[in-house]
Amino acid sequence: MAESQPLPFDPIAEARRHWRERWGDEPARPMAAVTSIMRAQQILLARLNELLRPHGLTFPRYETLMLLVFSRRGALPVGKMGERLQVHRTSMTHMADRLEEAGLVTRVSHEQDRRSTLIAITPAGRELAERATETLNAAGFAMEPLSADQQEAITELLTSVRRDEGDFAA
């Protein structure tokens, strides 16, 4: 895949200028903020996926493995995994299928609820999650060039958005 060249201008600043001309300062400010967040998310996801590529993982697959690593029994129902990762059950099932094909998770029957199937991390999945975590930790989760204080400020700001949306119990 060919790497694209940087634009000779900031497209978000240009969009903001157009917004301001057409609708005024107030709508231009939040539009620029949202667009900046969305673009930063795309950049960070690309960086994380690049770091994880040598491990044969994408960031969503890594998150799935880590959810299982941190679970008490190393296994969770698909529905609960979807809730915690905030993805649709169908997407979670597809993710589990890919991880199972790679030998990183397995499906097991739920001991108390025969209607439910659990996704369980395998020893190979745990080992890969550990190696991938070492890579991400060493790279500071691709958050350069932000300082520790800036990273904390971003987390605090976005936590308030998530809290106000009811993303978690306050």
Side-chain angles (χ1 to χ4, degrees), residues 36-51:
S36 294
I37 290 168
M38 299 305 288
R39 180 60 185 134
Q41 188 267 349
Q42 293 170 337
I43 290 167
L44 290 171
L45 189 56
R47 287 179 182 178
L48 292 167
N49 284 337
E50 188 64 31
L51 289 166

Side-chain angles (χ1 to χ4, degrees), residues 44-158:
L44 290 171
L45 189 56
R47 287 179 182 178
L48 292 167
N49 284 337
E50 188 64 31
L51 289 166
L52 291 168
R53 184 172 290 121
H55 299 285
L57 291 174
T58 61
F59 191 68
R61 290 179 188 172
Y62 169 77
E63 285 183 304
T64 302
L65 290 177
M66 292 309 294
L67 177 63
L68 293 170
V69 165
F70 290 136
S71 69
R72 261 183 268 137
R73 294 185 180 95
L76 290 167
V78 173
K80 186 169 291 284
M81 292 177 70
E83 284 174 21
R84 299 222 176 126
L85 293 172
Q86 299 173 327
V87 297
H88 191 273
R89 183 182 180 91
T90 304
S91 297
M92 193 66 251
T93 299
H94 178 73
M95 182 82 62
D97 290 345
R98 300 296 76 80
L99 291 170
E100 187 174 34
E101 288 169 7
L104 303 173
V105 303
T106 187
R107 286 178 165 80
V108 295
S109 297
H110 194 291
E111 292 174 8
Q112 287 86 31
D113 183 359
R114 290 190 170 167
R115 297 169 297 160
S116 183
T117 299
L118 302 175
I119 305 300
I121 193 164
T122 64
R126 282 188 187 279
E127 181 191 323
L128 182 60
E130 179 68 29
R131 287 194 328 264
T133 299
E134 288 172 9
T135 297
L136 292 177
N137 284 342
F141 272 77
M143 288 299 292
E144 73 282 339
L146 299 177
S147 71
D149 287 344
Q150 289 171 319
Q151 292 172 29
E152 287 294 339
I154 287 170
T155 300
E156 189 175 318
L157 285 168
L158 296 179

